[in-house]
Amino acid sequence: MGRTSDVRQKILDAARPLIEGRGYTALGVAEICKAAGVPKGSFYYFFESKEALALAVVDEHWAAQQRDWARALGGDGEPLQRLRRLFEETEAGRLAAQQGCGTVSGCLFGNLTLELSNQAEAVRGRLQEIFDAQVDMVEAVVAEARDRGEITATDTREAAQAVVAQLEGQMMFAKLYNSTGRLSPLWDNCRALLGATGSH
Amino acid sequence: MGRTSDVRQKILDAARPLIEGRGYTALGVAEICKAAGVPKGSFYYFFESKEALALAVVDEHWAAQQRDWARALGGDGEPLQRLRRLFEETEAGRLAAQQGCGTVSGCLFGNLTLELSNQAEAVRGRLQEIFDAQVDMVEAVVAEARDRGEITATDTREAAQAVVAQLEGQMMFAKLYNSTGRLSPLWDNCRALLGATGSH
């Protein structure tokens, strides 16, 4: 079984950067297997379809990102400081990735939303769950800040949605202009969207 | 020549909803010509490549949208009222389109940014020009509002970029959740991003 799960993981590891770089539609199973260094025949032993692979890539990516978000948002410090940490870590992560491969690849979930959500209902459903969970995580911190009287926003759900939308929008422009500098205003924009009253 | 330009326009008219609905990569020239009701052989008489067609679709769509934006932002009324009109018209336009075809297709430029910008430099360059122009148009109105003391934002460029990013981010979620209601908070979000001081 050791070797079996190894092949599955090789396929996943090869697929993620390919999907990030070129999207889902442009990729073929043969190309993914070649990049993974596994026989093409093994693909359908592990994945029912290319869509099933995409879902597995999305799940694995979200599991990792969810841990990062939970660490940033759930650690020590005042709520707005933790939210700020999330944006700073996001920008730093994109910069490190750009220095590795030369390009800003954007957000995997945002990319797949615009490429696929109107074509693959299973992918749409999974991406909805992920963005709902992101909004939940941001909303919890926003509600804390509101209870402490640090922001003027009262509808914490709508405020959290606006913050995540701003993140996706600026991530889109970071990709388009191949510049992580586009992410630098995220914290000031977030403060404005929340109506932050102090100088956190 | 009447008939010639008619064929070119038929191809353009067929291509735009197909690209909006399924993306660029998933489409083939044969399918576009079939939808346009023109012989496949005629395609390369008008377009050098599928990418050239995509650029023509983008240009035509932007020409129409630029007129809409100029009308909304350049008409009578106070600057923030004109900006609000832009968001209201955008939401109304998406709702009408959804009622026609059943789905929210998102923003053609945003879709192509996330699908193509790291793969097709010509498309990336064109989309950069379009988003730069959108930010220019929003910034002109933001600067007017600032000069009238109606907002607290001082960096009008960054504020305009945040407003356009928020629009793209919420448009992404309107597509993902197939709900134009996601666009309803746009004006309140915009007011917050600009630090609007009155009750426009």
Side-chain angles (χ1 to χ4, degrees):
Chain A
M1 276 307 286
R3 192 168 181 289
T4 296
S5 60
D6 190 45
V7 171
R8 184 177 186 277
Q9 193 60 45
K10 277 183 182 169
I11 294 172
L12 280 172
D13 290 346
R16 188 169 67 87
L18 287 171
I19 292 176
E20 281 185 336
R22 308 212 340 254
Y24 169 86
T25 312
L27 286 182
V29 165
E31 185 179 5
I32 294 165
C33 291
K34 192 177 171 196
V38 304
K40 189 182 168 191
S42 62
F43 183 90
Y44 291 100
Y45 181 77
F46 297 103
F47 301 100
E48 197 176 289
S49 60
K50 196 173 77 156
E51 185 176 312
L53 168 68
L55 288 172
V57 167
V58 161
D59 285 344
E60 191 182 50
H61 189 57
W62 172 234
Q65 192 181 93
Q66 197 171 25
R67 281 192 298 272
D68 292 342
W69 280 44
R71 200 189 55 243
L73 295 176
D76 291 338
E78 297 176 5
L80 292 183
Q81 284 173 340
R82 281 141 48 202
L83 199 49
R84 179 176 195 160
R85 197 188 303 151
L86 175 67
F87 295 125
E88 289 173 349
E89 289 185 6
T90 299
E91 186 182 350
R94 299 296 152 162
L95 187 59
Q98 185 193 25
Q99 286 166 344
C101 73
T103 54
V104 177
S105 58
C107 166
L108 177 68
F109 308 130
N111 293 349
L112 289 174
T113 292
L114 294 197
E115 185 185 354
L116 273 192
S117 65
N118 279 349
Q119 295 175 74
E121 285 305 317
V123 175
R124 185 205 294 270
R126 198 69 58 96
L127 292 168
Q128 284 179 353
E129 287 168 13
I130 289 170
F131 281 116
D132 285 346
Q134 287 190 354
V135 171
D136 286 345
M137 293 174 85
V138 170
E139 188 186 4
V141 180
V142 169
E144 261 189 80
R146 183 204 53 195
D147 294 345
R148 293 161 57 104
E150 294 171 353
I151 60 172
T152 60
T154 51
D155 185 333
T156 55
R157 190 75 192 165
E158 204 158 90
Q161 284 173 343
V163 167
V164 175
Q166 178 73 206
L167 176 60
E168 286 300 317
Q170 297 283 28
M171 197 74 90
M172 176 187 290
F173 291 124
K175 178 173 178 170
L176 179 62
Y177 295 91
N178 198 30
S179 162
T180 57
R182 290 276 166 160
L183 304 177
S184 302
L186 273 176
W187 177 240
D188 283 343
N189 296 158
C190 177
R191 280 178 49 80
L193 285 167
L194 299 178
T197 51
S199 56
H200 297 86
Chain B
M1 278 305 286
R3 191 166 181 289
T4 296
S5 60
D6 192 44
V7 170
R8 184 178 186 279
Q9 192 60 46
K10 277 183 182 170
I11 295 173
L12 278 173
D13 290 346
R16 188 169 68 87
L18 287 171
I19 292 176
E20 281 186 335
R22 305 212 342 253
Y24 168 85
T25 313
L27 286 182
V29 166
E31 185 179 3
I32 294 165
C33 291
K34 192 177 170 195
V38 305
K40 190 183 166 190
S42 62
F43 183 89
Y44 291 100
Y45 180 79
F46 297 103
F47 301 100
E48 197 177 290
S49 60
K50 196 173 76 156
E51 185 175 312
L53 168 68
L55 288 171
V57 167
V58 161
D59 285 345
E60 190 182 52
H61 189 56
W62 172 234
Q65 192 182 92
Q66 196 171 27
R67 280 192 298 272
D68 292 341
W69 280 44
R71 199 189 54 243
L73 295 176
D76 291 336
E78 298 178 4
L80 292 183
Q81 285 173 340
R82 281 141 48 202
L83 199 49
R84 179 177 195 159
R85 196 187 303 150
L86 175 67
F87 295 124
E88 288 172 349
E89 289 185 6
T90 299
E91 186 182 350
R94 298 297 152 160
L95 186 60
Q98 185 193 25
Q99 285 166 343
C101 72
T103 54
V104 177
S105 59
C107 166
L108 177 68
F109 307 130
N111 293 351
L112 289 175
T113 292
L114 294 198
E115 186 185 353
L116 273 192
S117 64
N118 279 351
Q119 297 175 71
E121 286 305 317
V123 176
R124 184 203 294 272
R126 199 68 59 98
L127 292 169
Q128 284 179 352
E129 287 168 13
I130 288 170
F131 281 116
D132 285 347
Q134 287 190 355
V135 171
D136 286 344
M137 293 174 86
V138 171
E139 189 186 5
V141 181
V142 169
E144 262 189 80
R146 183 203 52 195
D147 293 346
R148 294 162 57 104
E150 294 172 351
I151 60 172
T152 60
T154 50
D155 185 333
T156 54
R157 189 75 190 165
E158 204 158 271
Q161 284 173 343
V163 167
V164 175
Q166 179 72 207
L167 176 60
E168 286 300 317
Q170 297 283 30
M171 198 74 91
M172 177 187 290
F173 291 123
K175 177 173 179 172
L176 179 62
Y177 295 91
N178 199 30
S179 163
T180 57
R182 291 275 167 162
L183 304 176
S184 303
L186 274 176
W187 177 239
D188 283 343
N189 296 159
C190 176
R191 279 179 48 80
L193 285 167
L194 300 178
T197 52
S199 56
H200 298 86

